[in-house]
Amino acid sequence: MTDSALPAADRIPDLRSDLLAAGLSVDALTRLWGEEAAEALHRGQRVPAERALARREPSALATLARLFVLGLPVAADAAAAALPAFGVDGAVALGLVTSDDASGTISAAVDLRPYGFVDAAGPAEWWIVSDLGELALGHALPEDHVLGVGGASLTLSGLMLQAPVESALDLGTGCGIQAMHAARHARRVVATDISPRALRIAALNLALNEIGGVELRLGSMFEPVAGERFDHIVSNPPFVITPRSDGVPAYEYRDGGMVGDGLVASFVSGCAEHLTRGGVAQLLGNWEYRGTGDGLLRVRDWVDASPEPLDAWVIERDVEDAVRYAETWIRDGGTRPGSPEFERLLAAWLDDFDSRDVRSVGFGYLLLRRVEGTPTLRRFERLHGSLGANEAGLGVHLGEALAAHDLQAALTDDELLRLRPVVSGDVTEERHLWPGADAPTAILLRQGGGFGRAVAADTGLAALVGASDGELSVGAIVAALAQLLEVDEDALRADLLPAVRGMLVDGFLRA
Ligand SMILES: C[S@@+](CC[C@H](N)C(=O)[O-])C[C@H]1O[C@@H](n2cnc3c(N)ncnc32)[C@H](O)[C@@H]1O
């Protein structure tokens, strides 16, 4: 897509009908080149897929796959046969392909591939246009590169709350993927980006997938929505920490131009004035660990700096030491490790980190909710390692956890004692015993879904969770356990009630 090209709305249905007729879907591509080649493609290797295509009968699907997914040239007549309604001329005019008359070939100017997902509404599939990756370009990415659906995009879309709302904002929409997901539960979506090119690609994706109700606006951070509030804000913002020195590429798609983790800080302290009461912002972010300080406490300070009170649930998924972090992002831009350019960039990154005494960088998810009065949810936790199985993403679990938090926060201890919870179907108990011992030395309650948490429990808590059948109240179970374990009932109650609250929030128990 050239910079001047605008989505010609009247021609997009023709492109859509060609893609439909060719059957360009995730399953069809896997059938075309096989599981192994599909996995190799995820690792950035297209040779197995190319070889598999060479063994296939020519077809519109094979032509479109070679052209747009592998980024390899195709013969002009094959391209014409694969795009009978839209035509090669239409694709050239829209900036999707370029034509080389001398060789009689057509090359992709963008990546266009199917994208499948499952959410609360069930399975669905779209086609997503984005800029060609490093593999197809054969060189480092340009600074105005518009990202396709990557790992971070999937993380955020999987975390997205899915309860129906009136309005949503996707800040830094890129190819439009989060706005498209948000449009499945929000009646009205505003999607912003600082890149005009990203907005053109987003407009194309919305039209190609016949998604309405999304308004695209150009501008930085919250500028395009000054004075407006939304029920749901989602953002995979350009949070990558980048040295602000000469000769270091400033990639629009990942770097918001601020020093250190300043962009995430400014998002956190600026979002409350764009949230309706009870409105939720969900974003991904990086935070610096400076000196002996704790990165998660820096995030807490940002939340505290919000001019309007926010509930906050921040989950750190990973921490990378400063050197690894720099290596990751230099490689991501397409610079090869070991090259002089790589070493120059690494030195710039480490100088930048040294200037703030940054030892490591945390990555994680932030969920912020605008509240009136004193926030009741202040959770800053580390969940490093693998998560539970979540077919339809963590968004549904997060929504349930928020509702459970609100429910238990509104209950006094006496009211909680009258609750009759049920243990969730995905909870199992692990007992660890010294060889030959009768009593366990450790008990773990583990959930299969949600965040796949494992909670250390004593005999009392494990027994309470096990006895939660929806018939018995918490109070009745505690009284029976006190007798059975021969312990003081008041002390047991004081011990177990906070744990019951936690079990409800995390989905081990359901009210
Ligand atoms: C990491 S990409 C996310 C793209 C897409 N939302 C996704 O989830 O895949 C960040 C996006 O933010 C945009 N961006 C960069 N600086 C920005 C700013 N100051 N204000 C708004 N958007 C910005 C970039 O152009 C890019 O499209």
Side-chain angles (χ1 to χ4, degrees):
M1 193 173 185
T2 57
D3 247 16
S4 56
L6 280 168
D10 54 331
R11 298 296 318 282
I12 306 275
D14 291 338
L15 174 59
R16 185 181 161 81
S17 79
D18 286 343
L19 300 181
L20 270 177
L24 184 64
S25 70
V26 174
D27 280 353
L29 287 183
T30 308
R31 279 195 304 274
L32 190 66
W33 44 50
E35 294 275 357
E36 252 181 46
E39 279 171 25
L41 264 182
H42 279 131
R43 297 192 300 272
Q45 304 296 340
R46 64 183 169 183
V47 174
E50 187 184 353
R51 288 163 63 88
L53 279 189
R55 293 192 293 271
R56 291 283 182 178
E57 290 295 312
S59 67
L61 175 64
T63 302
L64 295 178
R66 183 178 162 87
L67 181 64
F68 287 123
V69 182
L70 301 188
L72 293 166
V74 299
D77 56 351
L83 296 168
F86 193 50
V88 172
D89 290 350
V92 171
L94 196 55
L96 301 184
V97 300
T98 56
S99 167
D100 180 357
D101 292 341
S103 63
T105 58
I106 302 296
S107 298
V110 293
D111 186 291
L112 191 173
R113 64 182 63 208
Y115 159 73
F117 61 93
V118 184
D119 64 11
E125 199 156 315
W126 293 322
W127 294 291
I128 301 292
V129 173
S130 64
D131 271 332
L132 290 173
E134 189 197 329
L135 193 65
L137 288 174
H139 56 75
L141 302 173
E143 291 188 345
D144 67 348
H145 176 79
V146 176
L147 211 59
V149 179
S153 326
L154 295 176
T155 299
L156 181 65
S157 61
L159 286 169
M160 214 182 268
L161 299 179
Q162 293 169 37
V165 290
E166 167 63 25
S167 61
L169 166 67
D170 172 21
L171 193 153
T173 196
C175 68
I177 185 67
Q178 311 300 344
M180 292 164 73
H181 277 288
R184 287 169 70 83
H185 66 269
R187 209 185 58 76
R188 182 175 71 81
V189 179
V190 174
T192 67
D193 207 289
I194 203 169
S195 153
R197 177 174 175 72
L199 292 184
R200 279 195 287 273
I201 290 184
L204 173 55
N205 284 324
L206 289 164
L208 188 56
N209 294 288
E210 297 184 328
I211 296 172
V214 180
E215 187 192 334
L216 299 168
R217 295 189 199 167
L218 183 67
S220 181
M221 297 300 285
F222 291 105
E223 276 167 21
V225 293
E228 287 175 67
R229 291 188 185 264
F230 299 86
D231 303 318
H232 196 184
I233 299 178
V234 289
S235 185
N236 171 11
F239 57 75
V240 176
I241 298 165
T242 309
R244 310 259 71 95
S245 46
D246 289 345
V248 175
Y251 292 112
E252 242 169 14
Y253 72 88
R254 65 180 213 197
D255 161 26
M258 295 194 191
V259 171
D261 50 19
L263 183 122
V264 183
S266 82
F267 189 110
V268 172
S269 29
C271 71
E273 61 185 282
H274 297 285
L275 286 170
T276 55
R277 184 179 171 184
V280 172
Q282 292 183 274
L283 67 147
L284 306 181
N286 269 155
W287 36 89
E288 295 181 335
Y289 280 73
R290 298 183 178 173
T292 53
D294 182 333
L296 269 179
L297 294 186
R298 284 172 60 67
V299 182
R300 199 185 61 189
D301 289 345
W302 301 338
V303 176
D304 289 343
S306 169
E308 297 178 48
L310 288 170
D311 271 344
W313 186 359
V314 180
I315 297 176
E316 182 179 86
R317 288 287 290 132
D318 197 11
V319 179
E320 259 188 326
D321 66 62
V323 179
R324 272 180 209 276
Y325 183 88
E327 287 174 13
T328 301
W329 291 107
I330 298 168
R331 258 199 319 268
D332 171 84
T335 307
R336 305 248 171 262
S339 63
E341 178 62 358
F342 193 95
E343 297 197 341
R344 186 185 69 77
L345 289 174
L346 185 56
W349 241 277
L350 297 183
D351 282 348
D352 179 55
F353 281 145
D354 282 350
S355 71
R356 294 183 302 280
D357 198 15
V358 176
R359 313 278 175 92
S360 52
V361 178
F363 163 77
Y365 331 135
L366 298 90
L367 185 153
L368 307 163
R369 182 169 60 168
R370 192 184 141 225
V371 292
E372 307 269 297
T374 311
T376 59
L377 177 60
R378 299 296 258 186
R379 197 167 178 184
F380 298 85
E381 58 175 343
R382 297 189 166 81
L383 279 181
H384 298 178
S386 63
L387 296 180
N390 286 282
E391 273 276 295
L394 280 160
V396 172
H397 173 74
L398 273 179
E400 288 171 355
L402 275 186
H405 166 80
D406 293 343
L407 179 133
Q408 65 77 29
L411 294 181
T412 63
D413 279 354
D414 282 344
E415 287 164 337
L416 187 62
L417 285 169
R418 290 197 288 277
L419 205 70
R420 298 163 193 270
V422 189
V423 59
S424 297
D426 63 339
V427 175
T428 53
E429 183 183 298
E430 282 172 25
R431 286 176 176 250
H432 298 263
L433 291 84
W434 293 118
D438 292 332
T441 50
I443 305 176
L444 281 182
L445 297 175
R446 193 179 285 282
Q447 68 182 165
F451 284 103
R453 291 174 190 271
V455 176
D458 57 17
T459 321
L461 180 60
L464 184 148
V465 171
S468 294
D469 58 359
E471 302 276 319
L472 292 168
S473 69
V474 173
I477 299 174
V478 171
L481 282 175
Q483 275 204 345
L484 196 73
L485 300 171
E486 296 177 358
V487 294
D488 176 63
E489 187 177 331
D490 288 344
L492 186 64
R493 188 183 305 121
D495 192 33
L496 287 179
L497 284 191
V500 168
R501 290 182 187 274
M503 296 265 115
L504 285 166
V505 175
D506 289 333
F508 286 71
L509 291 176
R510 297 188 185 271

